Amino acid sequence: MSNIKCIGILTSGGDAPGMNAAIRAVTRSAIYNGIEVKGIMRGYRGLIYDEIETFKSNSVSNIIQQGGTILRTARSEEFRTPEGRKIAYEALVREGIDALVVIGGDGSLTGARILAQEFNYPIVGLPGTIDNDLFGTDSTIGYDTALNTIMQAVDKIRDTASSHERLFFIEVMGRECGFLALNGAIASGAEAAIIPEMSELKDQLADLISNGFRKSKNSSLVLVTEGNITGGAMAMAERVKKEYPQYDVRVSILGHVQRGGSPTANDRILASRMGAAAIDALLDDQRNVMIGIQNDKIVYVPFSKAIKKNKPVQEDLLRTLKILSI
């Protein structure tokens, strides 16, 4: 058994629905096991500027249904430097924090890995990101909620697209990962998804046009992942106006609405399971691992695998979307 007497918990990077459920689970699981908990405000920045407070069981009451994060989150340029990380580590030692639980995405877990290596410090990560882009876990905290938000928005856009016989490009988050666009397209009955994973293989817009939009319907909806790889919805619309002027094109960028809202039951349950598993991992002397879920079972994924390997898009999802869009 581990000798950990006190843990710290922080959220970092972009917020995701379900982070509060994870904070609640980590806090109460730690207290249940006789471990003191300290909440670190505003991510790694809170370590550097000493924004740390003791958490009790009632500190996390009535938060499981809330979006965002009660610990707040912030970017920290100082933490990117060795000097900044040294200050952060000294704060952990000064506060008597024996181990750290970090909830966040790729960048947050990268920071956790570096801190753990530089100071031989035990850290466990939870995958908190709507992008679902971390390797070694079937789903990340916040992904299901964001997917449902996208589906609901696209359902509403379809109403006006159908009324006006238009082609809509709907931009969703994801940057280098197309899970939200692809699964959002399937869930909402959209005609296509333009995703980063396919951009190097073919001209997705030309392929879409050459195959023809749904000729049996009077409107078409295409989900596009944001970012430089695809160019985003605006770039797609500009291309259509220049190369295929026969189409009446509109753009809708969903933006930060995808990050907000009360987490779904799936995200609440996932975050709760992962939060409890983080404490189990520390008690089992695990370190430098991310808690993941595979085939509905909790797994420990080394940071080196979670943040270094690309998570592949399933070919059957692409095929399903293509078949159902005729």
Side-chain angles (χ1 to χ4, degrees), residues 13-321:
D15 63 302
M19 279 186 166
N20 281 327
I23 294 167
R24 174 181 179 269
V26 170
T27 300
R28 291 191 169 172
S29 295
I31 293 171
Y32 178 85
N33 284 282
I35 300 172
E36 185 182 359
V37 180
K38 293 194 176 181
I40 300 158
M41 306 299 293
R42 298 176 180 82
Y44 295 117
R45 178 181 171 182
L47 281 176
I48 294 172
Y49 290 96
D50 203 24
E51 298 181 74
I52 303 170
E53 58 186 74
T54 299
F55 266 32
K56 302 295 184 183
S57 183
N58 62 4
S59 301
V60 293
S61 295
N62 199 33
I63 67 169
I64 194 171
Q65 78 281 8
Q66 296 178 16
T69 162
I70 63 167
L71 289 173
R72 308 291 186 263
T73 180
R75 311 289 181 182
S76 176
E77 290 302 319
E78 297 99 324
F79 189 78
R80 295 177 182 271
T81 68
E83 296 79 11
R85 290 191 293 273
K86 186 172 186 294
I87 294 172
Y89 173 70
E90 289 171 347
L92 290 168
V93 173
R94 185 172 60 251
E95 291 284 338
I97 298 173
D98 303 311
L100 190 61
V101 176
V102 173
I103 307 170
D106 183 84
S108 303
L109 298 189
T110 298
R113 182 191 182 200
I114 295 171
L115 182 67
Q117 288 178 333
E118 288 180 341
F119 300 99
N120 190 28
Y121 190 82
I123 303 179
V124 169
L126 298 186
T129 169
I130 67 169
D131 295 342
N132 197 33
D133 60 347
L134 289 166
F135 184 86
T137 184
D138 293 340
S139 187
T140 57
I141 297 167
Y143 172 64
D144 186 68
T145 306
L147 196 57
N148 276 276
T149 298
I150 290 168
M151 179 186 70
Q152 292 161 9
V154 176
D155 286 348
K156 292 178 173 64
I157 291 170
R158 181 180 293 282
D159 292 342
T160 189
S162 299
S163 298
H164 293 275
E165 300 183 309
R166 287 170 174 161
L167 164 60
F168 264 86
F169 286 109
I170 303 165
E171 184 176 292
V172 301
M173 288 182 170
R175 286 185 296 182
E176 299 177 359
C177 178
F179 284 100
L180 285 173
L182 179 54
N183 282 310
I186 294 172
S188 61
E191 281 61 57
I194 295 177
I195 60 176
E197 290 87 343
M198 300 300 294
S199 291
E200 293 183 2
L201 302 178
K202 61 183 179 181
D203 184 337
Q204 295 177 87
L205 179 60
D207 189 57
L208 182 65
I209 298 293
S210 65
N211 289 335
F213 293 114
R214 286 174 71 179
K215 295 172 183 176
S216 61
K217 300 289 183 177
N218 61 3
S219 65
S220 291
L221 304 177
V222 179
L223 272 63
V224 184
T225 301
E226 66 179 356
N228 295 329
I229 299 178
T230 65
M234 291 299 294
M236 289 294 155
E238 289 300 318
R239 272 196 63 189
V240 170
K241 289 177 182 177
K242 291 178 182 178
E243 300 174 28
Y244 311 99
Q246 67 270 31
Y247 293 105
D248 186 12
V249 183
R250 294 294 185 274
V251 170
S252 183
I253 299 174
L254 299 188
H256 285 80
V257 67
Q258 297 162 86
R259 290 197 184 280
S262 180
T264 60
N266 282 340
D267 270 330
R268 297 183 197 192
I269 295 167
L270 179 66
S272 297
R273 291 179 67 187
M274 287 182 167
I279 300 304
D280 289 340
L282 289 170
L283 290 173
D284 196 32
D285 288 322
Q286 296 286 336
R287 56 169 64 200
N288 303 343
V289 295
M290 179 194 79
I291 304 298
I293 191 158
Q294 296 177 9
N295 299 319
D296 202 35
K297 294 187 181 300
I298 292 291
V299 295
Y300 299 156
V301 185
F303 283 155
S304 57
K305 288 186 177 181
I307 61 181
K308 288 266 185 172
K309 291 192 174 183
N310 292 327
K311 187 174 183 178
V313 165
Q314 295 169 265
E315 292 290 331
D316 66 306
L317 294 177
L318 293 166
R319 182 172 178 272
T320 297
L321 178 59

